[in-house]
Amino acid sequence: MKKHLLILLFAVLAALPACAQSFTLKGRVTDSNGSPVELCAVAIPAQGKVTMTNLKGEYSISGVSADSVKITYSMVGFKAKTRVLRRPKGKMNLTIQLQEGTELAEVAVMQERRQTGQSEKLDIKDAKAGPSVTGNAVEEMVKMQAGVGSRNELSSQYNVRGGSFDENSVYINGVEIYRPFLVRSGQQEGLSVINADMVDRVEFSTGGFDAKYGDKMSSALDITYKKPKKFEAKIDASLLGGGVYIGFATKTFAWQNGFRYKTNRMLLSGGDQKAEYDPRFLDYQTYLTFEPNKRWKIELLGDIADNRYNFTPQSRETTFGGTENSKSFKVYFDGWEKDIFRTYFGSAAVTHSFTENTKLQLQGSIFFTNEQETYDIQGQYWLQETGSETGMEDDLAVGTYSEHARNYLKANVKSVKLTFQHKTKKHNWLAAFTYKNENISENSKEYEMRDSAGYVVPHTGDRLDMIYSLNAQNELKADRIEAFVQDSYRFSSKGEHAFFTLNYGVRFAYWSFNKESIVSPRVSLSMAPAFNNNFTFRFATGLYYQAPFYKELRDTITTNGVTIARLNDKVKSQRSIHFIAGMDYRFKLANRRFRLSTEMYYKLLGNLIPYSVNNMKIVYDSKEQVSGHAFGLDAKLYGEFVEGTDSWITLSLMQTRMNIHGNSVPLPSDMRYAINVFFTDYFPGTTRWKMAVRLSFADGLPFGAPHRDLGQEPYRAPAYKRVDLGLSYRVLENKSIFRNIWLSFDCLNVIGSNNVNSYYWITDVTNRQFAVPNYLTGRTFNGRVVLEF
């Protein structure tokens, strides 16, 4: 017995060195042309070891030997590769060649692409996963990011780090996109120009972005449409709208088409206002690419949108205030509103590749919009205090108001852009020259009459004045020239253990209307340190301008109660100097991948044009340009909270101020805090049932009475609170002609929050004012079916 035990002991001792034996694998990763693939992830998944290739494509990784050791190589844009080593030991060499491809799902599980610039790549599948109010999936995903604020679920517009809605640039395939000008509420907004079914890549920057992005101060959203590789189709229908997508391709030709329909009638009908709603929003888009050979590529992109909003109010009853100070606002209406927003957009591009690394592109685009906003609405109102000590309803204000508008606007913007790109092993040079021609004509007439207890407000005693009256007949014809040059330079430290990416560039613009030239230098640096390549540190600074466009130019002069709007050619570009420091940390918890991102920022603002916001309408006052600042902290935790699904949590803290009329006041977009949660999960034991939750909790914005000097906004709206829940069931998967069939059920605004959108102001004959809240949508249910072919 002792002899057997001794033999067993010696066998175990002899095996221990073999079990603990380590190995070191070195090698090089190249593409199909033999060029090095830098920053490729090389991993030993079973042992939790990960490294990255240097700028020469070289790598070195150590592990513990076993009967078989699996090595994975993954990089976004390439097909992942796996190699199995049999009982590896000592020093070994292995060269790997990766093929270009799009096996993104496998790559994502192993390694996320490192963010080396100021633009974050957002996963388009996340945009489609959750419950949707607007049908604008990309913007709904953007609004859930750190540093982004939106307090209106009906709108696709958003604020970024204290900026206004107008300070965000949007690009599709390198062409800047414009929105309708006259939209003043989320109810009027139709479908966004971005069709999520046609999107391949989404990049979003909340500040410190590259010189290639235009003259906006707050953010840049860069959309790239996909090229289908084979036939694919999708049909979706819901109580809020639907759409059809078809794409197909040959070796040289790819074409995708998308048609969408949206109606928010069901959302609007559940509020405190009884009315006949007839909103109809239609959109058709097409994207075609033709590549006869490796040297030439032709692209055509087109969009036609017809958005109509018809509204006939009947009555409204709103209760607001606290328990001891509750008030009731009742209105009986007569009248109607009819709005039409027709937009047409098209672009054509021809790209010639001299080599694989040198390209020249000529691109032309045209945007045209024909907008009409007309309404005649009269209301008889009673404002009563229902929480008085007597227990009776006391009349605070009784009267009549009448609102009238005949607003018409036509605009077209034509542009020609020449872009040159050249890549080397360490540099990526990009330069472009753009010429734009802008034509806008406006004919607007608005007025609002108030009668309180038989007296017209404002009451002067000697004449009849409207509380608000506006006339505008303006025409803008101008040319704009833009140019930029930038370079992304990748390098490493001695020993090639720390990796750096330096992006630097300068942008120039000239506008013929105000004869202004602006120069915008920008630089950013990212570093993956040698001590831990799971960290990335980022720094960025730059001078950013908000070049004035039509809305910023409108200057008003009021005489005898009548306001005339004219274009002010003395307005200069608003200015913002960005200082940003950020960090990304990638880690695994319970063998699931996570990424923690944080950014601190300070924006020094100059030449600000003061503005006020009512619902989604921004009114500028260009008589005086002021200074200000914004600073804050953004944080985002992204990862697999549940295995196989992506979720995230964001936290934003911010303070903004502007100096106006000798006072320091918050900007209208001063959202001091915001928390967003997007969470996805599968039901236990199955992947057929899926759940997605969107949660938003954000600070209220400053506000004040209308038609007063800007800067007098002493109040702050209540916090915005909203939870949307979506449940999806996969009926079929890869059966017959169907790739997937999904049935979905959404509960929108689960907690039934009365979120305030804006305020309607009541003024009595003594000039007392009462703010009556206008609430957003209540709890609503939506059903949806999706067929994927």
Side-chain angles (χ1 to χ4, degrees), residues 215-363:
D215 299 304
K216 296 293 180 73
M217 291 198 301
S218 290
S219 74
L221 177 61
D222 194 350
I223 304 295
T224 303
Y225 275 3
K226 64 184 178 182
K227 294 184 294 183
K229 292 180 170 50
K230 57 183 180 180
F231 175 81
E232 56 186 25
K234 176 182 175 182
I235 300 174
D236 69 88
S238 77
L239 300 177
L240 299 177
V244 177
Y245 164 79
I246 299 176
F248 56 90
T250 65
K251 289 184 178 180
T252 60
F253 178 84
W255 191 17
Q256 57 175 343
N257 298 269
F259 172 81
R260 295 177 295 166
Y261 168 75
K262 170 188 167 183
T263 176
N264 52 18
R265 178 186 301 175
M266 186 176 65
L267 288 169
L268 301 176
S269 299
D272 56 4
Q273 182 162 287
K274 306 303 179 184
E276 293 182 9
Y277 294 95
D278 185 21
R280 290 172 290 169
F281 309 123
L282 300 173
D283 170 84
Y284 168 73
Q285 291 191 40
T286 183
Y287 176 51
L288 180 150
T289 60
F290 176 59
E291 298 181 69
N293 52 54
K294 292 183 178 180
R295 298 297 182 201
W296 291 94
K297 181 169 72 171
I298 300 173
E299 299 172 88
L300 299 175
L301 175 63
D303 172 66
I304 300 174
D306 186 279
N307 299 320
R308 298 169 181 262
Y309 177 73
N310 298 324
F311 168 57
T312 304
Q314 296 170 349
S315 64
R316 167 181 174 175
E317 183 170 355
T318 303
T319 301
F320 61 100
T323 304
E324 298 180 358
N325 189 28
S326 63
K327 295 179 178 62
S328 174
F329 180 61
K330 298 178 182 179
V331 191
Y332 295 94
F333 296 103
D334 184 25
W336 49 267
E337 177 178 351
K338 294 182 180 180
D339 305 324
I340 301 176
F341 304 94
R342 290 195 185 98
T343 58
Y344 307 87
F345 166 73
S347 73
V350 178
T351 305
H352 178 65
S353 301
F354 299 96
T355 65
E356 290 187 352
N357 297 318
T358 305
K359 298 178 181 179
L360 183 67
Q361 182 186 75
L362 179 64
Q363 186 176 58

Side-chain angles (χ1 to χ4, degrees), residues 611-613 658 666-668 702-705 709-716:
Y611 66 92
S612 63
V613 181
M658 70 174 173
L667 286 166
F703 73 95
D709 290 339
L710 297 181
Q712 296 185 15
E713 296 184 334
Y715 312 110
R716 189 172 285 269

Side-chain angles (χ1 to χ4, degrees), residues 25-30 59 73 83 93-97:
L25 179 66
K26 296 183 177 181
R28 189 166 180 260
V29 180
T30 66
Y59 69 92
Y73 302 81
R83 289 290 182 266
N93 285 278
L94 184 59
T95 298
I96 294 294
Q97 186 179 81

Side-chain angles (χ1 to χ4, degrees), residues 129-131 144 677-681 691-695 723-726:
M144 298 291 290
V677 177
F678 180 82
F679 180 77
T680 56
D681 191 7
M691 179 193 72
V693 177
R694 297 178 190 265
L695 182 150
V723 178
D724 296 329
L725 171 66

Side-chain angles (χ1 to χ4, degrees), residues 153 696-697 719-723 748-756 775-779:
E153 63 271 9
S696 296
F697 178 64
Y720 180 87
K721 304 177 287 291
R722 185 177 177 91
V723 178
L748 308 174
N749 195 1
V750 175
I751 58 178
S753 291
N754 286 327
N755 292 310
V756 177
Y775 295 121
L776 286 162
T777 60
R779 185 184 296 112

